[in-house]
Amino acid sequence: MTPRTFLVHGLLAGLIAGFAAFLVSYVVAEPQIDAAIALEEAGAAEHTHDTATAGQPHSHDEEAAVSRGTQSTGGLALGTVLVGIVLGGATALAAAFAAGRLGGLSARASTATVAAVGFVAAALVPFLKYPATPPAVGSGDTISERTALYFGFWALSLAAAVGAVLLARRLLPRLGAYPAVLAAAGAYLVVVVVAGAVLPTVNEVGDFPADTLWYFRLSSLMTLAATWAVLGVVLTGLVGRDADRAAERLRRQELAAAL
């Protein structure tokens, strides 16, 4: 299979994964965002009442340019689909590079491995260090700092995962499959645990209800897991189907040559 074929499969798988992420997010995450917004508005209304009582002028916030209904439907669908396509393309190109280079793994197994590593390194580990925060939580003055910390840790986690895969590939002839994988996984964990301990923790929860925060983060993690699960399953299935067809064509050619 050529990298172009992998990429086409990845874009298709990413499109499907994006729609799946939209459905999961719309069902489980959007209600938690609405709850967070309601708390934020309640706090703003209380602040307005206090300042009005004290005789201080208060200016109302301008209406949002895009309604909440549009954000939670069209905007959400567009965002999740675009993210899914980008993830699908990137994962497919990584799988194309990995195919044939991860010991004796088939194209199907290599693709599944790349998708699993991508989920852990680019989604799960960064989320555990810097979990998602609803709109009502956190100071607007620190948005840039929090964003930089998240993407910095994300890039470090991804780089450590790539390094771990290369380490496993190098150790494979000497140690065998399982010891090489365990050594690479251990090296990755050491890097991310040390980095996670050194980097500052962002925890601007304040008086925000813990249960609302918990359900929001749980639903965000569910959306991430659904995105990567669908992406991995669909991409692995497409790659495996093509690999099976190629093997069948080769078998028929060898049979015809033998006859």
Side-chain angles (χ1 to χ4, degrees):
M1 291 178 59
T2 65
R4 180 178 179 181
T5 303
F6 270 96
L7 180 59
V8 171
H9 289 337
L11 295 177
L12 177 58
L15 179 64
I16 297 172
F19 278 115
F22 164 71
L23 294 176
V24 173
S25 182
Y26 184 78
V27 172
V28 301
E30 288 303 304
Q32 305 306 324
I33 294 178
D34 289 335
I37 292 175
L39 288 170
E40 186 179 31
E41 291 177 345
E46 183 178 351
H47 176 72
T48 301
H49 175 74
D50 293 341
T51 55
T53 303
Q56 300 176 359
H58 176 79
S59 58
H60 295 281
D61 295 333
E62 296 180 0
E63 293 185 4
V66 181
S67 67
R68 173 65 187 143
T70 302
Q71 293 175 6
S72 63
T73 53
L76 177 64
L78 180 62
T80 54
V81 168
L82 288 178
V83 169
I85 291 174
V86 171
L87 288 178
T91 304
L93 292 177
F97 177 80
R101 292 183 172 89
L102 298 180
L105 293 183
S106 63
R108 178 188 281 109
S110 296
T111 303
T113 300
V114 167
V117 170
F119 168 68
V120 172
L124 181 60
V125 170
F127 181 94
L128 293 177
K129 174 59 181 177
Y130 297 113
T133 302
V137 176
S139 170
D141 297 333
T142 62
I143 289 178
S144 298
E145 178 185 357
R146 285 180 282 154
T147 302
L149 284 172
Y150 172 80
F151 281 107
F153 189 70
W154 176 86
L156 187 147
S157 174
L158 200 58
V162 173
V165 172
L166 295 177
L167 176 63
R169 184 168 173 256
R170 180 178 292 272
L171 294 177
L172 188 61
R174 304 176 185 177
L175 303 180
Y178 290 111
V181 170
L182 289 176
Y188 170 77
L189 287 176
V190 168
V191 172
V192 295
V193 168
V194 171
V198 171
L199 290 173
T201 300
V202 177
N203 187 20
E204 298 182 339
V205 175
D207 297 329
F208 196 83
D211 58 342
T212 302
L213 183 66
W214 161 257
Y215 286 118
F216 175 84
R217 288 176 171 171
L218 179 62
S219 62
S220 299
L221 184 58
M222 289 172 61
T223 302
L224 282 175
T227 304
W228 281 94
V230 173
L231 173 61
V233 169
V234 174
L235 181 56
T236 301
L238 291 174
V239 170
R241 183 195 62 180
D242 280 5
D244 291 342
R245 288 179 177 177
E248 180 62 21
R249 285 196 299 268
L250 179 61
R251 188 188 68 82
R252 290 180 179 179
Q253 291 173 359
E254 293 176 346
L255 181 60
L259 295 176

